Structures are given as structure tokens and as C-alpha cells.
Amino acid sequence: MVGKGIRIEGLRKRYGEGDTAVDALKNVDMRVEPGEVVGLIGPSGSGKSTLLKCLGAVIDPSGGRMTLGDEVIYDEGWKVRDLRALRRDKIGFVFQAPYLIPFLDVTDNVALLPMLAGVANGEARARALELLTALDVQHRARAMPSQLSGGEQQRVAIARGLVNRPPVILADEPTAPLDSERAMAVIRILNDMARRFETAIIVVTHDEKIIPTFKRIYHIRDGVTHEEAGEGRGFE
Ligand SMILES: Nc1ncnc2c1ncn2[C@@H]1O[C@H](COP(=O)(O)OP(=O)(O)OP(=O)(O)O)[C@@H](O)[C@H]1O
Ligand SMILES: [Mg+2]
């Protein structure tokens, strides 16, 4: 079984081949303990989204090693047969753009994943509503995605990333369209999830308000990571 915590060693990713090849990740080392929220910071084009997509099995790395809990999921090739099940059951993804399903209302956008995982409809909707309430969008629970503001859509997408209580959450600029109060609420919820469910969480962000909340930060530049202590100032 895929357990908790993340370990990445010597991860590489090359897009394309020959003259037009881009080495987006050259040498990435990273670890996230269960219950920990770490920041991932770096300039545009430095490889942040590429790193999250590799770890989330959305794209194939070119080399290196990735471990979730005590299971090696990638070692110079995927070691997991069912990548779709890995994505569905182990990884909560909050993308840079919210990608809601246009023909489902807000509640069902969030409740769909637990329903697919076999949770009864009523229970799935109750879990969805609990998160929507924590993210302060419960009043839009019956609206369609096209009727929401950008920030509301993003909060629904965050609820969807968290609803299955996955052991790993990968959030790519989750607070970009939010005001600072709501951004801080998102960080509070992520820290709360981490503590309650021993989730390992990586948050990509440029948000100056959020960066001081991390205890540990990874900087990435030209596809290479460096670890740094954060301020760990908390988020009240
Ligand atoms: N599908 C792709 N094909 C070719 N090159 C790509 C692809 N996706 C990303 N790249 C390149 O890989 C590098 C890293 O891109 P990535 O999206 O990971 O950056 P990022 O750190 O997330 O940037 P941003 O802060 O702008 O979101 C960039 O040079 C980018 O142009
Ligand atoms: Mg990106």
C-alpha cells in the first residue's frame, strides 16, 4: 500500500528531443514528512509545475526516484502498474487553473471523486459541503461553475483536491486569485488537513503573505532544488 510522506531523489524531466529539448528538471531532491506542509518557490519556468505533474503521475519523468510512504513509485521508470488508481486514490491535485466540470453543480464537482471511490452519495455530498463551508463558498453550493467568480471557482477546486483525504496533496498556486484573508484560510485548511490525516503537502506559491507560514521551503531554479528553513510563523 502507498503510505504517507514523499521522497524525491535525483528527479529529472526532459521535454522533447534533440535541438528543441528542454531540461525542465535537472536534479530535484525533496522530502515531505507526513503531516508537513512545505513551500516550493522559484521563478517562472523554473520547473515547479513540472515537478508536481511528475509526482502526481500526470506526466512521465525522465529519470530519478520517487517514493510515497514506503513504496517506490518511480525508479528510472514507473513501479506502479495502475497510474490512474495512484492519481485517484493517493494524490489530491489543485491545479494552477481550476478545471471544474461545467455540467455539474458546485457540490457535485466536489462530491464526484468520493462517489467514484465508492462513498455513498449522501456521505459524499456531506463531506463536500463541510469543505465548501470551511472555504466559505457554501452559499454557492447549487450554482454551476460558469456562474462563479474566479476566486470562488478556485476554492471549489481546492475542496475537490482535498475531499478524498489523499495522503499527498499537490497544490500549484492555490491562492493566486484569492484575497489575503481567503488565501490564509486556504493555508489554515491545508495545515489542518496535514495534521488531522498525516497528509504530506507541497504548495507552489509566489504569495508573500503565505511564504512566512512554511517551516521548510524548497527553492527551485533552472530545474535544481535547494532546501531552506522557513519562518514557520503560523497562520492565525
Ligand atoms: N509540455 C511542455 N513541452 C515543452 N516544454 C515545456 C512543457 N511544459 C513546460 N515546459 C518548459 O519547462 C520549463 C518548466 O516549466 P514549468 O511549467 O514547470 O515552470 P513553472 O516553474 O511552473 O513556471 P510558472 O511559475 O510560470 O508556472 C519551462 O522552460 C517550460 O517552457
Ligand atoms: Mg507553473
Side-chain angles (χ1 to χ4, degrees), residues 69 81 93 102 104 129 132 164 168 197 199 202-203 222 228:
R81 205 170 300 154
F93 227 122
L104 294 181
L129 206 56
L132 292 169
N164 263 356
V168 170
F197 303 113
T199 320
I202 301 175
V203 181
D222 292 334
E228 221 177 68

Side-chain angles (χ1 to χ4, degrees), residues 202-220:
I202 301 175
V203 181
V204 170
T205 189
H206 292 109
D207 192 329
E208 294 296 336
K209 295 234 176 40
I210 286 175
I211 291 169
T213 69
F214 300 117
K215 291 200 185 75
R216 284 197 310 124
I217 292 173
Y218 285 87
H219 286 269
I220 183 165

Side-chain angles (χ1 to χ4, degrees), residues 161-214:
L162 308 189
V163 71
N164 263 356
R165 298 169 189 163
V168 170
I169 292 173
L170 307 174
D172 200 347
E173 296 277 2
T175 63
L178 304 181
D179 59 58
S180 60
E181 198 174 317
R182 293 206 163 100
M184 208 48 93
V186 167
I187 292 304
R188 201 177 303 125
I189 290 163
L190 289 174
N191 277 274
D192 199 48
M193 292 278 300
R195 228 182 354 242
R196 269 166 71 196
F197 303 113
E198 298 209 300
T199 320
I201 302 182
I202 301 175
V203 181
V204 170
T205 189
H206 292 109
D207 192 329
E208 294 296 336
K209 295 234 176 40
I210 286 175
I211 291 169
T213 69
F214 300 117

Side-chain angles (χ1 to χ4, degrees), residues 15 22 24 43-50 96 206:
Y15 290 108
V22 176
S44 182
S46 58
K48 305 180 297 295
S49 296
T50 300
Q96 221 166 346
H206 292 109

